Amino acid sequence: MKEGKMASSFTRILSSKRNVGILSLVGGSVAAGFLLHREHVTAGEPLRRRYPASAEYPDLRKHNNCMASSLTPAIYAKLCDKATPNGYTLDQAIQTGVDNPGHPFIKTVGLVAGDEESYEVFAELLDPVIKERHNGYDPRTMKHPTDLNASKIQSGVFDERYVLSSRVRTGRSIRGLSLPPACTRAERREVERVVVDALSGLKEDLTGKYYSLTLMTEQEQQQLIDDHFLFDKPVSPLLTCAGMARDWPDGRGIWHNNEKTFLIWINEEDHTRVISMEKGGNMKRVFERFCRGLKEVERLIQERGWEFMWNERLGYILTCPSNLGTGLRAGVHVKLPRLSKDPRFSKILDNLRLQKRGTGGVDTAAVGGVFDISNLDRLGQSEVQLVQTVIDGVNYLIECEKRLEKGQDIKVPAPIKQFK
Amino acid sequence: MPFGNTHNKFKMNYSAEQEFPDLSQHNNHMAKVLTLDMYAQLRDKETPSGFTLDDIIQTGVDNPGHPFIMTVGCVAGDEETYDVFKDLMDPVIEDRHGGYKPSDKHKTDLNAENLEGGDDLDPNYVLSSRVRTGRSIRGFCLPPHCSRGERRAIEQLSIEALDSLEGDLKGKYYALKNMTEEEQQQLIDDHFLFDKPVSPLLLASGMARDWPDARGIWHNDNKTFLVWVNEEDHLRVISMQKGGNMREVFTRFCTGLTKIEDLFKNRGHEFMWNEHLGYVLTCPSNLGTGLRAGVHVKLPNVSKHEKFGEILKRLRLQKRGTGGVDTAAVGGVFDISNADRLGFSEVELVQMVVDGVNLLVNMEKRLEAGEAINDLMPEQK
């Protein structure tokens, strides 16, 4: 009989190591046979050299990432023999953080999830990492609100003399399939199949087409580059060390609607990345399409028996802990040549809970006084709340810029409350 | 263990077809050999330490290869890989090592006395001589698969053994993560320092994990005998010096290696070796002797001769630039070394290099003098 099938029906029970007692209830040689197989797997590798946890503990003395801050030898010892149901281990989760010590100024996360269960099985490490990264959000006690009702948004149409473009992105993972660091080729292809199948059901302004990275023609590739839609094989060691670039470009692709305002990346850093965007300042419409599109995709996959990874502790589950909750980054490209030179700029952004990036995205510089301004937070506030924060904040920044244009002074706003 | 899909047990819920990699754009030994049937047969196997087929082939899946250069496209995670997955490894080895069959036996000969000549390659042409090989410590997983604990244990064992070397082999170990700025600069100036691998061929196999933990360089005080610890293999052993006395280089190489092997044996460890594959290393291309004996030699005229490639082929030699593999020759100076690794002994391979380089230098002198070299053309070895 196929041990794999047996494994899947027992995965939830067996996610801890307390399987012996339960299996003894099942009875018979089937269970014994399964137990033998299971032992061969979960005992790790019976003929492998085993060292004490202290000999395996990584050298993190030069490291500056959230994983290194929280991974004590004691936590390592406790978790190093555990595995999620599909076999993902602590060493695999932290590999990217061990391999990339970080930067003195930028604190990276330093670990990834291989599947939904990683967040449970390795909670003792993940919870403090989440708390540090998400400014005090405590997954043990707090609940994350999800709200994709775009009608609640107030104003949200910016002055287009300043705002050049508006964009909202998030990610979604398909429950039951491993995440990019751990997925097999077949799982990755299954993600592609499930998502592409659902997307083919989108209608009207959301009608679109899928371009597989392995099959796209030269013309299609050039068009996608010109539209700034094409994503490349990751080069950042933060990603490659986590194993998410394996088997590239197999199972990867880009879907977008005919109007080029709704775009989905498949199997890049997450199962899916969903992006709504337009030129100009109509953030309200961008968010409205975002919510409508997301809900429609969710309905379409549910019709086919699938769902997104989500729980009320962590919201939407994604590969990187930094993207938990809403996974949402709502931002604009906005001209702030005067304000950006004001020494109070950083403080203003901080208090508005916004961050700046160059117009090439993360890790790029601003060009011609045009900045990418987006929300800092991801977890602990809903989508509606975060987008409203961006709208209110960007409006404030534009007001500042206008005042500076007229030679008037500006004020640093009071810090807004973090968890609403 | 390298990546998260190694023990992904959901794998077996899918058919072999669903999991089989897309190798349509690929040109490496693994891709030539791995059929769907073979994948189906081997996909649920593991070595005793847990290395799987997907682990073996990941580097070959991620690196389709080059139209002109045929890479291997698979690695071993432990000694048993070559046995448990022999259905894949044997044909790869046969293809890579000139028809070496599963039933063939490999001869090991580290007796430098058996080398003829080799002490007088013309130093006007031969600038330096070097012999390298690798060794793996039996019972430990190889760099693609080893845990931090294993890698550190390998380092520790190596340091203990190397610290016991005496005489002209007496030396010192420099751990990559502890070295001072001065030590680092000196090692760079000596051309001894190795960097974290950047080649995607190596990175994709998982051998750069945890860098620079438990990696280091040992060399003797004379700077003629050098050991790399935990780079692409457990140990890479290098003997080198300026000039053309390849015999001396090879003698030191053999003496040093034999001493190191004895020191490991005294501590209850041996090198991975068997009579079919010789010394077992991470990459199938380095099986057998794992030996590359080479010189940096000035051949500005010969290298421009239309038969240069053919001459090298017949002599069973290969050329590289002076930066090593994948670099270009500068100023007519080439790195010339043996093309084979498996199926010939160490002495035989070094002999080929010595004889071949002598011939090439003679040809160079002839061409310099405006004379022909047709009578010097060698037979296929």
Side-chain angles (χ1 to χ4, degrees), chain A residues 329-340:
Chain A
R329 192 172 93 85
V332 297
H333 283 187
V334 56
K335 286 195 266 204
L336 300 170
R338 287 171 188 72
L339 179 59
S340 57

Side-chain angles (χ1 to χ4, degrees), chain B residues 129-272:
Chain B
S129 306
R130 180 184 188 268
V131 183
R132 69 87 160 150
T133 188
R135 290 291 185 264
S136 311
I137 306 175
R138 180 161 276 162
F140 290 85
C141 293
L142 296 170
H145 191 37
C146 66
S147 69
R148 278 181 295 273
E150 280 183 295
R151 198 186 297 110
R152 290 162 177 170
I154 291 160
E155 184 191 35
Q156 197 46 45
L157 283 172
S158 303
I159 293 172
E160 279 169 21
L162 296 167
D163 275 350
S164 311
L165 289 172
E166 291 163 345
D168 74 316
L169 292 178
K170 185 160 157 12
K172 188 177 162 187
Y173 181 71
Y174 303 85
L176 246 57
K177 65 178 180 185
N178 291 339
M179 65 175 62
T180 66
E181 289 253 10
E182 292 85 359
E183 286 169 340
Q184 188 176 318
Q185 194 52 53
Q186 187 60 56
L187 287 165
I188 291 173
D189 295 338
D190 291 327
H191 304 289
F192 284 174
L193 190 63
F194 61 87
D195 266 327
K196 178 171 181 175
V198 293
S199 163
L201 300 173
L202 299 182
L203 296 176
S205 71
M207 46 179 103
R209 286 170 302 126
D210 314 312
W211 201 276
D213 197 316
R215 273 83 167 190
I217 290 162
W218 179 97
H219 70 78
N220 66 349
D221 298 334
N222 297 341
K223 299 185 182 178
T224 53
F225 194 68
L226 166 68
V227 179
W228 291 351
V229 178
N230 286 320
E231 194 236 11
E232 186 184 330
D233 281 293
H234 287 171
L235 303 167
R236 282 287 177 96
V237 178
I238 301 151
S239 171
M240 60 211 245
Q241 65 195 52
K242 293 236 179 285
N245 195 339
M246 179 62 90
R247 188 183 185 84
E248 193 170 76
V249 170
F250 186 54
T251 305
R252 185 186 312 111
F253 177 83
C254 294
T255 311
L257 264 177
T258 311
K259 286 214 165 84
I260 293 173
E261 185 158 17
D262 285 341
L263 289 163
F264 272 97
K265 285 205 177 122
N266 292 345
R267 287 158 177 76
H269 295 280
E270 47 180 9
F271 291 146
M272 291 183 196

